[in-house]
Amino acid sequence: MRVILSVVLSSLLVCSNAYGMKVPKVDLRVSQEEYAISFLPVQIGEVAVLHLASGNHYLVNTGSFKERNQLYYYFNQMHINNIKGLIITEKSEVDSVMIAELVKKFGIEEIVVGKSLEPSMPKQVSGIIHTIQEEESYTFSDDLVMRAVHEGNERREGLDFSITFFHHHFLWLSSQSSHSEEVLMSKPLKNVNIVKIPVHSKSESISHRLLEHVDPQTAILYRSKERLLNGDMLEAINEAWIDLYLTGQHGLISVKFNKRNYEVLTFDQEDVLKDEG
């Protein structure tokens, strides 16, 4: 079903003070037979949060320990006071100090990583590491399942995974290499609704043929147009009539799914980023 685009309603936002600044609160109101994923506009790394109807949260990557106040700001904004699990997608996202702090602070029960990434993980969390390989699945709930589409260990590669929820399919791409592209082209990805596109450098981009193969309705990028974007990538996205959202332009981006459809919500973070400097 075609995406429902939405401007955030005022009823979703309230304000409070934290860290000496005004914090707009976000209540996604995830109920039974719903889930949401939020893409956090942190300045280093690609960080997201899965919001389950049970009230549990799973964090995708952690961001930098030096910039941890940004992460905690968004946790406070979204009422996140528990993290059940952590997913680390690639070597560049491994910050051992930040991972250790989050495990201690939130009592994280499990860290999901690709098999090839396991040796790069901090030894103090080895007891809660759960490895996943290509075509293996990880279940969050009865209705929410993650599947490893590709688990790469070459340069500019990582864990590419999909999340299935009823008839909706979200695809998180970490890899951006010729090898990973060939692997992904061999996968049945035509039913993807939303894709998170990797950007490892301005000179690299997702190819036209891979974009056509995935054929998403919506694309998410962790950057802003001014700082990043490869012209070929923008052209391919525009030609395919894909709705593009960028954390550097739209701020905090949340996608909320139910059995029938999904909606994209954006929350302007301009004042927050100015305060963070």
Side-chain angles (χ1 to χ4, degrees), residues 15-34:
C15 292
S16 67
N17 289 312
Y19 309 120
M21 67 180 78
K22 185 170 71 173
V23 180
K25 293 285 187 176
V26 175
D27 186 357
L28 295 176
R29 299 176 182 174
V30 178
S31 59
Q32 292 300 315
E33 297 188 335
E34 292 184 334

Side-chain angles (χ1 to χ4, degrees), residues 46-273:
E46 297 187 340
V47 182
V49 179
L50 297 177
H51 311 264
L52 276 61
S54 63
N56 290 326
H57 300 94
Y58 286 79
L59 184 64
V60 183
N61 299 323
T62 68
S64 165
F65 179 75
K66 292 181 180 179
E67 304 291 337
R68 64 191 180 281
N69 283 346
Q70 285 186 356
L71 182 67
Y72 294 144
Y73 175 92
Y74 297 120
F75 282 178
N76 186 40
Q77 184 179 9
M78 294 184 291
H79 306 276
I80 294 174
N81 51 29
N82 78 81
I83 301 174
K84 185 173 183 179
L86 175 61
I87 303 165
I88 302 294
T89 61
E90 54 194 295
K91 194 170 183 178
S92 63
E93 296 287 353
V94 177
D95 187 314
S96 298
V97 180
M98 191 68 218
I99 291 171
E101 175 167 306
L102 288 169
V103 169
K104 182 178 180 180
K105 186 179 182 71
F106 293 96
I108 291 174
E109 298 175 11
E110 199 160 41
I111 302 176
V112 182
V113 300
K115 181 67 176 177
S116 61
L117 190 60
E118 184 178 17
S120 301
M121 295 297 293
K123 289 184 172 55
Q124 62 265 43
V125 299
S126 60
I128 58 172
I129 294 289
H130 176 94
T131 59
I132 189 170
Q133 299 183 72
E134 191 169 313
E135 299 300 337
E136 290 184 344
S137 298
Y138 181 86
T139 301
F140 301 108
S141 68
D142 291 342
D143 301 316
L144 194 63
V145 178
M146 179 181 83
R147 181 175 63 88
V149 178
H150 168 244
E151 200 263 303
N153 57 9
E154 297 184 9
R155 183 172 174 266
R156 299 199 312 272
E157 291 188 356
L159 179 63
D160 305 300
F161 64 85
S162 66
I163 293 178
T164 302
F165 184 72
F166 293 103
H167 65 278
H168 303 302
H169 298 272
F170 164 70
L171 178 64
W172 179 290
L173 294 181
S174 302
S175 303
Q176 196 175 52
S177 68
S178 56
H179 169 259
S180 64
E181 180 172 314
E182 293 306 317
V183 174
L184 293 168
M185 287 295 297
S186 70
K187 305 291 183 177
L189 300 176
K190 278 287 186 183
N191 56 356
V192 169
N193 303 104
I194 301 177
V195 61
K196 193 287 293 180
I197 297 175
V199 177
H200 290 279
S201 72
K202 189 172 181 178
S203 62
E204 302 289 338
S205 67
I206 187 171
S207 71
H208 284 245
R209 70 172 192 144
L210 180 55
L211 200 59
E212 290 176 357
H213 178 63
V214 176
D215 192 28
Q217 298 164 349
T218 302
I220 307 290
L221 275 164
Y222 279 92
R223 297 293 185 274
S224 67
K225 285 183 180 178
E226 295 76 14
R227 295 175 60 185
L228 74 319
L229 271 178
N230 182 297
D232 290 340
M233 181 191 294
L234 276 178
E235 181 182 357
I237 289 171
N238 289 333
E239 287 180 355
W241 294 90
I242 297 168
D243 296 310
L244 176 62
Y245 290 84
L246 306 104
T247 57
Q249 180 177 334
H250 295 96
L252 174 63
I253 302 166
S254 296
V255 185
K256 189 175 179 182
F257 298 82
N258 61 38
K259 290 180 69 173
R260 295 174 299 282
N261 52 44
Y262 67 89
E263 58 184 342
V264 180
L265 306 170
T266 62
F267 306 86
D268 186 14
Q269 303 294 307
E270 183 178 357
D271 292 338
V272 175
L273 295 179

